[in-house]
Amino acid sequence: MMDNKTPHNQLFLDSQNLSDGNLHEFRENHDNKIHDLPEHVSRGLVLTIVGSLIISCAIFFIFLKSSDIVVVPNLSGLYIEEAITELQHKELIPYVELKFSSTSLDKGKVIDQKPKAGTVLRLDSKVKIFISKGSVINKIDNFIGKNIDDVLINLKANAINNNRMLYHLLRPVEIESTLPKGTIIRQEPSPGTKIASLVDLQFLVSKGQEDSSVKYIKNYVGLYYKDVIISLLNDEIDFDVNVSKGNDFGSVIYQSLSPGNRIENLDKLIITINEPRVNSTSVFGIMTYKLDVYSSSVDIMLKVKDSSGNSSLFYSFRSKGGLIKLPYEAVKGSTVELYIHDKLINQTLVN
């Protein structure tokens, strides 16, 4: 007779299988419960995330406002005045640097900037803008045969206007020659030499012939000041002017060197004039200006331009430069203008 009882080991296996099945089912149910959150829990999580984002954005914008941050604008192609105005509007500090470019069409415009457009900076940060000086001259001009002082004046004017490449001028070498004094005999580098950057430029200049003319002091006391000034300028005598008050209006009352004295190279005549009498609409003044010192005399003019634009010549003379003091009388509101070789170098408003 067979025993219907299940063997003990079989019961153990079934129990183990049952336990494994229940465990697997429990895990599946547990996983389903994790991924299938209740609706109120999901909604709470979403609200929490959105709230965190809103708070983060608010903190970010508060930080932007408190830190005074600005975005660098695109300045490329703007003229220097427009670029500076744009930076000042953004409360940024412009720093200008000039450089040559490949075309003269860019002259006066922004060709580069640092930092680049779109960069975020704090207010009052510095932005460097590079302004084109135009295209680079690729060869040296021919200065031979020209007057050294005329050349120096033109080079300085061109450098200021940024119309051409700036030369580094070395001290001219003077030699005796039959050519007029101040004439450029040779230049180094020679004309036509190709260049791409600043270049040392030196001239060989004629000393001319020794001037044998002798100058003597005249008697200027008692003469009207303008006649005396014109005489001194024509004789190319170096002088200084002092002003005093007295009854002899506009007359020279003193001269430092006696009449008949020979003028040496370093001598300077000092004259004293009584201030001239002028009406309430006019002014007496002295134009004081320090010129460059030239190896030979240059043409100088002093003009007075009224408020209507009409000019009248006060003095026309030649000088080797240095400090000049020229007395004048002019109507209030007019302009006293100083010229060298017909080029305006100084203006003074009369008031």
Side-chain angles (χ1 to χ4, degrees):
M1 183 175 175
M2 295 184 62
D3 191 356
N4 292 329
K5 291 184 179 180
T6 304
H8 177 73
N9 57 351
Q10 183 67 39
L11 289 174
F12 175 77
L13 290 174
D14 291 342
S15 175
Q16 186 178 10
N17 291 335
L18 180 61
S19 299
D20 291 341
N22 292 338
L23 179 61
H24 179 70
E25 183 180 357
F26 172 77
R27 286 177 178 173
E28 286 184 350
N29 293 335
H30 182 68
D31 290 340
N32 290 336
K33 289 181 181 179
I34 291 176
H35 292 287
D36 189 15
L37 295 175
E39 183 179 354
H40 69 279
V41 175
S42 300
R43 186 178 301 172
L45 288 175
V46 171
L47 292 176
T48 301
I49 294 172
V50 172
S52 299
L53 289 175
I54 293 175
I55 294 173
S56 299
C57 291
I59 293 174
F60 175 73
F61 285 110
I62 291 173
F63 174 76
L64 282 180
K65 183 177 180 181
S66 62
S67 301
D68 294 328
I69 290 178
V70 66
V71 178
V72 177
N74 183 11
L75 306 172
S76 179
L78 297 182
Y79 283 100
I80 181 172
E81 299 87 355
E82 299 171 338
I84 291 176
T85 301
E86 180 67 17
L87 289 176
Q88 290 176 341
H89 178 71
K90 297 287 186 180
E91 297 188 47
L92 294 170
I93 301 174
Y95 179 81
V96 178
E97 185 171 317
L98 303 177
K99 62 187 297 185
F100 292 107
S101 59
S102 59
T103 173
S104 59
L105 299 178
D106 291 334
K107 183 180 177 183
K109 295 182 179 180
V110 177
I111 56 177
D112 196 6
Q113 67 181 79
K114 290 183 180 180
K116 297 295 184 182
T119 304
V120 177
L121 297 177
R122 294 183 182 275
L123 295 183
D124 295 327
S125 295
K126 182 185 295 184
V127 175
K128 182 183 289 187
I129 54 176
F130 297 89
I131 306 298
S132 170
K133 297 195 293 184
S135 58
V136 180
I137 294 177
N138 57 7
K139 64 180 181 179
I140 294 180
D141 292 331
N142 185 3
F143 302 105
I144 296 175
K146 298 179 181 179
N147 181 272
I148 180 65
D149 295 321
D150 294 341
V151 169
L152 295 179
I153 291 172
N154 287 327
L155 288 179
K156 182 179 292 187
N158 289 330
I160 294 174
N161 295 328
N162 294 318
N163 288 330
R164 61 193 315 163
M165 181 178 180
L166 301 179
Y167 296 105
H168 177 218
L169 299 174
L170 302 179
R171 185 180 181 86
V173 177
E174 293 185 327
I175 62 171
E176 293 183 1
S177 171
T178 57
L179 294 174
K181 185 177 181 180
T183 302
I184 297 175
I185 302 172
R186 193 170 68 229
Q187 67 181 67
E188 185 64 35
S190 58
T193 301
K194 292 185 178 181
I195 53 176
S197 60
L198 293 180
V199 62
D200 291 337
L201 182 62
Q202 188 170 38
F203 299 117
L204 185 67
V205 181
S206 170
K207 293 174 62 176
Q209 297 178 343
E210 188 69 23
D211 187 5
S212 59
S213 61
V214 179
K215 301 173 184 177
Y216 294 92
I217 292 293
K218 302 173 184 177
N219 185 11
Y220 305 109
V221 175
L223 300 179
Y224 190 64
Y225 81 90
K226 189 172 183 180
D227 297 330
V228 173
I229 298 299
I230 292 175
S231 176
L232 293 172
L233 293 175
N234 290 337
D235 292 339
E236 295 190 34
I237 295 176
D238 193 16
F239 65 91
D240 196 357
V241 179
N242 293 328
V243 179
S244 66
K245 295 185 180 294
N247 294 328
D248 296 329
F249 298 106
S251 297
V252 175
I253 61 172
Y254 170 79
Q255 62 184 70
S256 61
L257 299 177
S258 302
N261 280 2
R262 179 174 175 170
I263 291 291
E264 302 294 340
N265 290 334
L266 299 179
D267 286 341
K268 174 179 282 190
L269 175 67
I270 300 175
I271 61 172
T272 301
I273 64 176
N274 277 340
E275 185 174 335
R277 179 181 293 171
V278 295
N279 56 40
S280 59
T281 61
S282 299
V283 172
F284 170 77
I286 296 181
M287 159 68 76
T288 303
Y289 193 83
K290 188 173 184 179
L291 300 169
D292 293 334
V293 177
Y294 308 111
S295 59
S296 59
S297 298
V298 296
D299 294 326
I300 300 176
M301 291 186 298
L302 187 72
K303 295 182 178 181
V304 177
K305 181 187 292 184
D306 61 25
S307 57
S308 300
N310 300 317
S311 295
S312 58
L313 181 64
F314 232 91
Y315 302 110
S316 178
F317 58 98
R318 293 180 62 80
S319 172
K320 292 184 179 180
L323 182 66
I324 59 172
K325 297 177 70 174
L326 300 173
Y328 64 86
E329 297 173 45
V331 177
K332 293 179 180 179
S334 57
T335 304
V336 178
E337 300 178 331
L338 185 64
Y339 291 82
I340 296 182
H341 290 307
D342 295 327
K343 291 186 177 181
L344 179 64
I345 62 170
N346 186 68
Q347 288 181 311
T348 301
L349 180 64
V350 178
N351 49 32

